[in-house]
């Protein structure tokens, strides 16, 4: 037996020990430290000559993450990407190229193990030679340049068979617990090895998404846009190329991620210099849009504050002069986000006024309308029922002033299929290629819908020509269209054919148009399919693109005994102070409604907030007594202040009684005790909900802050995160509160340092909490799609539980319980929760439970009829292997992107 000792103080370990030992080797087994780009930097040449190289490295992954491939890959890529890629790709390009060649050569295999098996200091190796001999070594040295050539390290090496057996026994034990290095890491090494920065001018438009997104925060964090999201951006560019003006309705079901699809399209449009970008969204969603575009895409945007008449940045900073309404025409960034509430309230007669009128003087590159179904006919009875509401009227006008137009909705119709035609009509504004010119049969929805659904079909070639020629589809839609366009030499940018049927040639009349008599021709080739994109959650799950995660909903009425008398039916019992306060809230709403029709939105404001929590009800009553309402209702503040300043003594008395009752010592909120019990005592799959990890949602900041504070006081050693809008997020521990950025909370949840997160809906989008296995809805928004968005935070790729648990809390004998009684019937479909519920529940539905149930059933029936027309098309177009932007090596620098997006209108 020969024993050798090496010290980096006296010899070069890289040359005199490692390189020398690897000469003539046939196998090399190594227990190393962390896997980094430097791992083969010194001995790449020697390693490349060895037929079999196996290296086991450690990682900081939790065992739970480690066992789920998607979580493992995301976490590993995020850790790998902690370096500054711009500097890394230049300073260490040769290192990446060597590493890339070795990992793709086939003779080198690397595995990693979770942090439960940390071996930061246990380094060893075994080397086989062609003559059958072996050498083994142990020491402190890691597999990196600094370790072998700079650090002070010690190594013992011997050629004893027993020593080699011992090292290899350790190696194989770890190897068998490890998993191969994910393809995501191999692809990133290859990408960085070949990375180069380019400018937008050298790229074709279809290359821009990959060049812009490969190093966006979402991709650096180990995630990516899903195949259907990438597909939408590609479709946006295809329409931009084909028509010169992209006009699309994105009607994906709730929870499928429309915001990122539309936001990425806006980013691409901005980079291509199409012009200013305007995003219109309900006031409750404007901050969500801004946060998601910064957190996921890394780009700055400005939100217009309707109350302060000022542009606001993502950190809450003021970006324009206060109180200057004219500033709305000059957004300080390329992308502006404005509340649709502003438009709804700024129309006098046929004309828009104030800021809405100013916006209509601008021209835009892209306009995006979120929750577009709110742009519709007035409805109801009377002569004006078919007139457009203010939002629809505004969109019809602004459509003529923008190049591209994207409408986003999770509910393409409410209770009338014609509303789909209202949206297509918006898309047709300023162009004629969506529904054609005023003479087009597609303009009449009563004629067109049976054609789209296949319930009627054309009976003659002349009728087929009427439907086909106005608008004339692009050439690539069908070979008949291609042949007609070629035969008649119709310009590719023209979508109208003025020729009468009688003037068409024999080939068109008798051969090509006869093919259009096929019963399925117009069912498969029509404006709805051409300009509407709809993907259903169940379809994506069935195709393996979305993970099926079941949901157990609580309380389960068939087994109420398991909750130890905490529920009466679906509600939780309250106490006398709340009951008196709630009665006064109902009385206040009725008094207000009888006094002024202008305050329709305030009818439910007090009731919804008191149904959220005692804390929210109390703060709202106090604010109203001072003639104000919470900031979350920004669009209505001016109107509310006017209404509240004229309160009658009876109205004031109601609010004072609410304040008195909810301030009493006996006013203990039963929701807190219920949450506490579910977290610490109730068990599913053998664990408490705290052990599973829990996200608690509220639509109101007052409620979220209250529950987070109370839980931190009760569970003293547990850190409770409050995840809210800009400047409001932080961590509670006991009585202490520290403000932190939202990113800090996300990271701590992912590494399982935080097990309880209390979040507001404003912060809901873009929050990935698959490490948490339970969800509590502390209140019930009258917007079922928002419940699905909440559920989507934990019901996503990487969720370790096959079934997650969701608790919905409502107080007994309140209107919330009435709504929930109806909604709960729709919660029983494990995999498609809320997929067929309307986006909002109108107030008048709630007065009568039977009326609500009837409206729901009517809604579902109508929606299904409309969906049947266009759900089939996109199933075939989603290829998970297409548009893998994360592999793009020719990239736009992040600073160039931010600078471009920081240009004012």
């Amino acid at each position: 037996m020969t024993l050798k000792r090496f010290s980096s103080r006296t010899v070069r370990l890289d040359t005199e020990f490692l390189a020398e030992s690897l000469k003539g080797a046939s196998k090399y087994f190594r227990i190393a430290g962390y896997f980094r780009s430097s791992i083969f930097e010194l001995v790449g040449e020697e390693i490349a000559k060895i037929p079999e190289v196996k290296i086991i490295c450690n990682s900081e992954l939790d065992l739970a993450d480690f066992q789920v491939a998607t979580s493992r890959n995301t976490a590993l890529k995020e850790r790998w990407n902690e370096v500054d890629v711009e500097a890394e790709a230049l300073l260490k390009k040769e290192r990446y190229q060597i590493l890339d060649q070795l990992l793709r050569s086939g003779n080198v295999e690397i595995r990693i193990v979770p942090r439960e098996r940390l071996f930061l200091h246990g380094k060893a190796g075994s080397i086989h030679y062609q003559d059958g001999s072996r050498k083994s070594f142990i020491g402190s040295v890691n597999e990196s340049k600094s370790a072998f050539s700079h650090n002070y390290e010690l190594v013992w090496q011997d050629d004893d068979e027993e020593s080699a057996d011992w090292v290899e026994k350790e190696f194989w034990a770890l190897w068998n617990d490890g998993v191969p290095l994910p393809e995501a890491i191999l692809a990133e090494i290859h990408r960085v090895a070949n990375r180069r920065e380019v400018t937008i001018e050298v790229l074709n438009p279809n290359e821009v998404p990959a060049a812009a997104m490969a190093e966006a925060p979402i991709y650096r964090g180990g995630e990516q846009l899903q195949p259907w999201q990438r597909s939408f951006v590609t479709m946006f560019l295809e329409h931009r190329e084909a028509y010169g003006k992209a006009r699309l309705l994105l009607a994906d079901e709730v929870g499928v991620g429309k915001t990122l699809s539309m936001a990425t399209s806006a980013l691409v449009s901005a980079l291509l210099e199409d012009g200013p970008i305007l995003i219109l969204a309900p006031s409750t969603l404007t901050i969500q849009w801004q946060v998601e575009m910064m957190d996921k895409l890394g780009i700055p945007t400005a939100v217009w504050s309707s109350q302060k008449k000022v542009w606001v940045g993502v950190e809450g900073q003021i970006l324009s002069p206060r109180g200057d309404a004219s500033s709305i025409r000059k957004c300080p960034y390329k992308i502006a986000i404005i509340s649709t509430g502003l438009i709804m309230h700024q129309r006098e007669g046929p004309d828009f006024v104030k800021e809405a009128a100013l916006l209509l003087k601008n021209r835009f590159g892209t306009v995006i309308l979120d929750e577009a179904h709110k742009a519709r006919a007035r409805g109801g009875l009377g002569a004006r029922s078919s007139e457009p509401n203010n939002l629809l009227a505004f969109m019809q006008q602004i459509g003529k002033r923008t190049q591209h137009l994207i409408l986003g909705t999770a509910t393409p119709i409410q209770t009338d299929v014609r509303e789909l035609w209202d949206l297509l009509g918006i898309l047709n504004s300023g162009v004629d290629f969506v529904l054609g010119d005023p003479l087009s049969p597609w303009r009449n929805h009563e004629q067109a819908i049976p054609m789209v659904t296949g319930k009627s079909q054309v009976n003659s070639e002349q009728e087929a020509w009427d439907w086909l020629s106005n608008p004339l589809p692009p050439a690539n839609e069908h070979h008949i269209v291609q042949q007609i366009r070629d035969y008649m030499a119709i310009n590719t940018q023209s979508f109208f054919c003025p020729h009468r049927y009688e003037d068409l040639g024999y080939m068109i009349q008798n051969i090509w148009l006869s093919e259009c008599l096929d019963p399925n021709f117009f069912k498969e080739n029509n404006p709805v399919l051409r300009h509407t994109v709809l993907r259903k959650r169940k379809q994506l799950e069935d195709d393996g693109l979305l993970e099926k995660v079941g949901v157990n909903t609580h309380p389960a009425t068939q087994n109420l005994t398991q909750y130890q008398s905490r529920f009466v039916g679906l509600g939780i019992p309250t106490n006398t102070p709340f009951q008196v306060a709630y009665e006064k809230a109902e009385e206040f709403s009725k008094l207000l409604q009888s006094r002024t029709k202008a305050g329709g939105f305030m009818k439910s404001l007090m009731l919804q907030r008191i149904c959220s929590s005692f804390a929210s009800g109390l703060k709202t009553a106090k604010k109203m007594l001072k003639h104000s309402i919470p900031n979350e209702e920004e669009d209505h503040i001016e109107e509310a202040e006017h209404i509240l300043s004229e309160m009658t003594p009876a109205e004031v008395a109601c609010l004072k009684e609410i304040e008195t009752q909810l301030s009493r010592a006996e006013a203990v909120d039963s929701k807190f005790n219920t949450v506490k019990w579910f977290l610490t005592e109730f068990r599913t799959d053998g664990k408490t909900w705290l052990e599973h990890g829990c996200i608690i949602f509220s639509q109101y900041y007052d409620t979220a802050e209250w529950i987070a504070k109370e839980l931190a006081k009760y569970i003293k050693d547990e850190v409770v995160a409050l995840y809210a809008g800009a400047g409001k997020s932080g961590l509670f521990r006991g009585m202490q509160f520290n403000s932190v950025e939202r990113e800090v909370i996300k990271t701590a949840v992912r590494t399982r340092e935080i097990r309880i997160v209390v979040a507001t809906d404003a912060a809901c989008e873009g929050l990935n909490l698959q490490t948490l296995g339970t969800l509590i809805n502390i209140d019930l928004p009258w917007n079922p799609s928002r419940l699905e968005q909440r559920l989507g935070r934990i019901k996503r790729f990487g969720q370790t539980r096959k079934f997650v648990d969701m608790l919905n809390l409502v107080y007994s004998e309140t209107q919330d319980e009435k709504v929930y009684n109806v909604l709960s019937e729709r919660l029983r479909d494990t995999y498609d929760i809320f997929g067929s519920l309307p986006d909002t529940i109108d107030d008048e539905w709630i007065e009568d439970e039977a009326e609500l149930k009837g409206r729901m059933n009517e809604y579902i029936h109508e929606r299904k009829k409309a969906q049947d027309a266009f759900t089939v098309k996109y199933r075939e177009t989603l290829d998970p292997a297409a548009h893998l932007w994360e592999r793009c090596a020719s990239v736009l620098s992040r600073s160039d992107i931010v600078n471009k997006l920081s240009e004012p209108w």
Side-chain angles (χ1 to χ4, degrees):
M1 181 182 86
T2 305
L3 182 66
K4 291 185 177 179
R5 303 176 185 87
F6 298 89
S7 164
S8 60
R9 187 176 58 81
T10 57
V11 296
R12 289 273 310 250
L13 294 181
D14 53 335
T15 54
E16 294 188 37
F17 161 60
L18 188 60
E20 195 63 35
S21 299
L22 291 176
K23 282 180 181 174
S26 60
K27 294 181 183 179
Y28 178 36
F29 302 141
R30 178 78 159 103
I31 301 170
Y34 283 107
F35 174 65
R36 294 303 311 164
S37 64
S38 57
I39 195 159
F40 301 132
E41 188 179 11
L42 289 167
V43 288
E45 197 174 311
E46 286 83 354
I47 292 284
K49 296 173 185 172
I50 304 172
E52 184 181 355
V53 177
K54 284 184 167 57
I55 298 180
I56 186 80
C57 300
N58 80 56
S59 71
E60 285 190 341
L61 295 190
D62 231 36
L63 190 59
D65 272 338
F66 198 80
Q67 289 166 340
V68 181
T70 46
S71 297
R72 181 171 69 234
N73 295 357
T74 298
L76 277 171
K77 189 172 178 190
E78 182 184 34
R79 177 167 172 77
W80 179 265
N81 283 335
E82 284 171 356
V83 298
D84 184 323
V85 70
E86 290 93 344
E88 189 95 343
L90 274 181
L91 296 173
K92 300 167 183 174
K93 183 169 280 292
E94 290 77 13
R95 175 197 292 182
Y96 276 89
Q97 289 170 340
I98 291 168
L99 183 53
D100 182 44
Q101 289 165 7
L102 285 170
L103 291 173
R104 291 178 183 277
S105 66
N107 63 318
V108 176
E109 190 179 355
I110 294 175
R111 287 191 181 184
I112 50 167
V113 295
R115 68 180 177 192
E116 278 82 352
R117 293 185 175 275
L118 282 180
F119 42 81
L120 279 170
H121 301 291
K123 315 292 187 342
S126 171
I127 305 167
H128 293 228
Y129 297 95
Q130 290 168 357
D131 62 3
S133 63
R134 289 184 293 171
K135 287 180 183 175
S136 61
F137 62 90
I138 60 172
S140 56
V141 68
N142 198 359
E143 207 85 346
S144 70
K145 180 173 183 176
S146 57
F148 275 112
S149 58
H150 300 307
N151 299 352
Y152 174 68
E153 305 282 3
L154 299 172
V155 177
W156 288 49
Q157 181 193 61
D158 69 38
D159 54 10
D160 179 59
E161 287 290 312
E162 193 177 338
S163 296
D165 286 343
W166 179 74
V167 167
E168 289 188 18
K169 182 181 177 184
E170 293 297 312
F171 171 83
W172 289 112
L174 293 167
W175 185 260
N176 291 332
D177 278 342
V179 295
L181 205 60
E183 175 59 32
I185 300 292
L186 300 177
E188 181 65 3
I189 291 166
H190 181 73
R191 190 188 74 80
V192 177
N194 296 283
R195 182 188 186 275
R196 66 190 185 101
E197 286 186 7
V198 296
T199 59
I200 194 81
E201 293 75 22
V202 306
L203 297 172
N204 293 323
N206 62 350
E207 294 172 322
V208 171
M213 293 295 290
E215 292 174 2
I218 183 173
Y219 279 86
R220 299 296 291 163
E223 298 180 62
Q224 60 183 23
L225 264 68
Q226 297 300 327
W228 56 92
Q229 294 172 316
R230 303 194 299 268
S231 166
F232 180 80
V233 178
T234 303
M235 188 175 181
F236 170 79
L237 285 170
E238 287 170 352
H239 278 236
R240 182 181 180 274
E241 173 71 18
Y243 298 103
K245 295 183 175 185
R247 300 292 169 116
L248 292 167
L249 169 61
L250 179 56
D252 285 349
E253 280 194 335
V254 170
V256 170
K258 288 182 299 301
T259 307
L260 265 181
S261 299
M262 295 190 286
T264 307
S265 300
L267 166 62
V268 170
S269 175
L271 292 173
L272 289 170
E273 299 281 11
D274 289 337
I277 313 289
L278 172 63
I279 296 170
L280 296 165
S283 59
T284 52
L285 300 181
T286 54
I287 300 302
Q288 280 187 29
W289 267 92
Q290 188 177 43
V291 167
E292 185 141 2
M293 292 188 90
M294 177 53 76
D295 289 358
K296 297 295 186 187
L297 306 184
I299 56 174
T301 57
V303 170
W304 178 257
S305 169
S306 307
Q307 184 190 7
K308 297 174 184 173
K309 312 289 185 213
V310 71
W311 288 108
V312 181
V314 74
E315 299 300 329
Q317 71 273 34
I318 304 298
L319 300 172
S320 64
R322 284 176 182 271
D324 181 5
S326 66
S327 296
I328 200 166
R329 288 195 68 187
K330 294 196 177 294
C331 177
Y333 292 135
K334 186 80 83 177
I335 299 178
I337 304 168
I338 296 177
S339 160
T340 47
L342 175 133
I343 282 114
M344 295 293 266
H345 296 112
Q346 294 189 347
R347 191 183 184 199
E348 293 176 2
D351 300 319
F352 285 92
V353 296
K354 302 179 182 176
E355 295 103 291
L358 292 172
L359 282 174
L360 287 172
K361 291 181 179 178
N362 280 16
R363 290 205 165 270
F364 299 95
T366 299
V367 172
I368 293 173
L369 174 63
D370 197 7
E371 300 212 1
H373 49 275
K374 292 178 179 173
R376 57 193 187 210
R378 291 178 185 276
L381 303 171
R384 302 185 66 196
S385 63
S386 61
E387 287 183 14
N389 69 4
N390 290 356
L391 186 56
L392 178 54
F394 181 86
M395 293 307 300
Q396 288 168 343
Q397 291 187 42
I398 209 163
K400 297 169 185 171
R401 306 190 65 82
T402 184
Q403 184 175 352
H404 312 305
L405 187 54
I406 300 174
L407 307 179
T409 174
T411 47
I413 54 160
Q414 284 287 348
T415 54
D416 185 353
V417 182
R418 83 167 301 279
E419 290 176 7
L420 178 59
W421 251 250
D422 286 338
L423 299 181
L424 292 172
I426 294 173
L427 296 182
N428 204 54
S429 299
V431 302
D432 281 339
F433 59 74
V434 179
L435 288 177
D437 69 18
L439 298 176
S440 168
W442 292 110
R443 290 286 191 102
N444 184 336
H445 73 276
E446 290 177 350
Q447 276 184 281
I449 288 168
M451 192 70 69
V452 168
T453 55
K455 289 175 181 168
S456 70
Q457 55 243 8
V458 295
N459 297 311
S460 69
E461 285 83 355
Q462 178 162 355
E463 194 183 350
W465 181 243
D466 291 341
W467 286 96
L468 186 67
S469 61
N470 188 3
L472 186 67
N476 63 0
E477 183 166 297
H478 195 278
H479 68 88
I480 292 174
V481 179
Q482 176 80 63
Q483 288 164 326
I484 291 173
R485 280 181 169 276
D486 290 347
Y487 186 83
M488 302 182 74
I490 297 171
N491 187 300
T492 56
Q493 293 289 306
S494 176
F495 301 95
F496 174 72
C497 186
H499 291 74
R500 295 182 309 157
Y501 174 75
E502 294 78 10
D503 300 332
L504 301 175
Y506 173 83
M507 287 294 291
I508 298 177
Q509 281 188 351
N510 296 292
I511 297 179
W512 295 330
L513 284 178
S514 63
E515 285 192 54
C516 300
L517 302 183
D518 182 302
N520 286 322
F521 183 84
F522 286 108
K523 188 177 177 183
E524 294 169 1
N525 300 278
N526 61 67
V528 182
L529 280 174
R530 206 171 293 139
H531 296 281
T532 304
V533 180
L534 185 147
R535 277 75 61 101
K536 298 168 98 171
R537 172 179 281 276
K538 191 169 190 314
Q539 171 201 316
L540 295 172
E541 288 176 345
D542 290 345
D543 293 347
L545 296 171
L546 257 181
E547 209 158 350
K548 283 188 177 181
V549 178
V551 183
N552 290 320
T553 306
H554 304 271
T557 49
Q558 65 273 26
N559 187 14
L560 284 175
T561 54
Q562 64 181 319
Y563 309 118
Q564 299 177 7
S565 306
R566 279 180 166 74
F567 296 92
V568 178
L570 290 172
I572 54 174
T574 55
N575 47 34
T576 303
F578 176 82
Q579 288 156 10
V580 174
Y582 184 75
E583 284 170 14
K584 289 296 173 185
E586 287 190 308
E587 187 182 332
F588 173 77
S589 298
K590 285 173 185 166
L591 287 168
L592 203 64
Q593 197 175 9
S594 64
R595 176 167 65 85
T596 171
K597 297 298 179 194
F601 73 93
M602 289 184 67
K603 174 191 165 190
S604 58
L605 180 69
M606 185 73 238
L607 286 171
Q608 279 196 272
R609 286 180 171 270
I610 202 171
C611 283
S612 174
S613 68
F614 290 18
S616 174
L618 178 59
K619 284 198 174 182
T620 305
K622 285 181 173 179
K623 276 222 164 208
M624 285 183 167
L625 284 167
K626 293 177 181 175
H627 304 160
S628 184
I629 58 174
N631 292 335
E632 287 148 313
E633 312 292 338
E634 189 197 49
D635 283 345
H636 301 292
I637 283 179
E638 285 183 31
E639 192 179 354
E641 286 174 350
H642 173 69
I643 292 167
L644 293 170
S645 67
E646 298 177 345
M647 278 193 292
T648 64
E651 290 164 11
V652 172
C654 286
L655 292 176
K656 284 187 173 176
E657 186 61 20
I658 293 169
E659 182 182 16
T660 300
Q661 291 297 330
L662 295 181
S663 299
R664 289 170 58 185
E666 312 92 279
V668 176
D669 197 329
S670 49
K671 283 190 178 179
F672 173 66
N673 287 327
T674 308
V675 170
K676 190 172 70 176
W677 184 77
F678 268 88
L679 284 174
T680 59
E681 295 186 48
F682 187 69
R683 290 176 179 271
T684 51
D685 294 343
K687 290 182 178 178
T688 64
W689 285 26
L690 177 59
E691 289 169 325
H692 283 303
C694 186
I695 171 78
I696 301 169
F697 269 117
S698 171
Q699 54 192 327
Y700 304 121
Y701 179 77
D702 293 340
T703 298
E705 182 189 38
W706 160 73
I707 197 76
K709 193 181 290 184
E710 292 302 312
L711 283 173
K713 277 193 256 176
Y714 174 71
I715 314 174
K716 291 188 172 57
D717 294 329
E718 196 74 27
V719 174
V720 178
L722 177 60
Y723 191 94
K728 291 184 172 180
S729 297
L731 302 175
F732 285 97
R733 184 165 190 163
M735 302 291 285
Q736 188 180 348
F737 176 77
N738 288 356
S739 291
V740 299
E741 296 294 323
R742 285 187 299 265
E743 283 304 313
V744 173
I745 295 172
K746 287 183 187 177
T747 302
V749 171
R750 194 167 50 248
T751 57
R752 293 181 167 77
E753 295 171 270
I754 289 177
R755 300 188 292 176
I756 303 177
V757 179
V758 184
T760 61
D761 287 316
C764 179
E765 285 293 335
L767 185 60
N768 301 329
L769 299 171
Q770 57 267 52
T771 55
L772 307 178
T774 64
L775 180 150
I776 297 174
N777 291 308
I778 199 91
D779 52 33
L780 183 76
W782 295 0
N783 180 328
S785 64
R786 187 156 310 160
L787 285 173
E788 175 64 16
Q789 286 173 329
R790 290 177 177 184
L791 192 56
R793 301 309 104 212
I794 63 171
K795 188 181 154 184
R796 58 198 308 121
F797 275 119
Q799 174 57 250
T800 55
R801 301 188 71 200
K802 291 298 178 192
F803 280 79
V804 294
D805 288 285
M806 176 170 72
L807 168 65
N808 298 311
L809 294 180
V810 292
Y811 297 124
S812 282
E813 299 179 1
T814 60
Q815 61 183 11
D816 268 21
E817 185 185 33
K818 193 186 296 182
V819 174
Y820 188 39
N821 272 325
V822 176
L823 294 190
S824 64
E825 294 177 20
R826 310 291 176 206
L827 296 178
R828 293 183 189 139
D829 182 345
T830 304
Y831 294 134
D832 201 20
I833 291 186
F834 300 116
S836 54
L837 289 177
D839 175 74
T840 49
I841 297 169
D842 291 342
D843 288 353
E844 61 267 22
W845 298 9
I846 293 164
E847 299 302 324
D848 179 355
E849 203 166 309
E851 165 79 353
L852 177 56
K853 198 172 291 189
R855 290 286 189 143
M856 289 289 191
N857 291 336
E858 182 186 354
Y859 167 84
I860 289 160
H861 173 69
E862 291 290 341
R863 186 163 189 245
K864 187 171 188 326
K865 265 176 29 185
Q867 283 185 359
D868 287 344
F870 49 86
T871 52
V872 179
K873 177 179 179 182
Y874 296 100
R875 186 165 212 155
E876 304 303 320
T877 63
L878 291 182
D879 178 5
H883 314 300
L884 298 178
W885 299 339
E886 67 273 20
R887 301 192 177 184
C888 180
S890 297
V891 299
L892 297 167
S893 79
R894 296 311 300 168
S895 58
D896 280 356
I897 291 172
V898 171
N899 288 341
K900 179 74 74 177
L901 274 292
S902 299
E903 293 172 2
W905 282 3

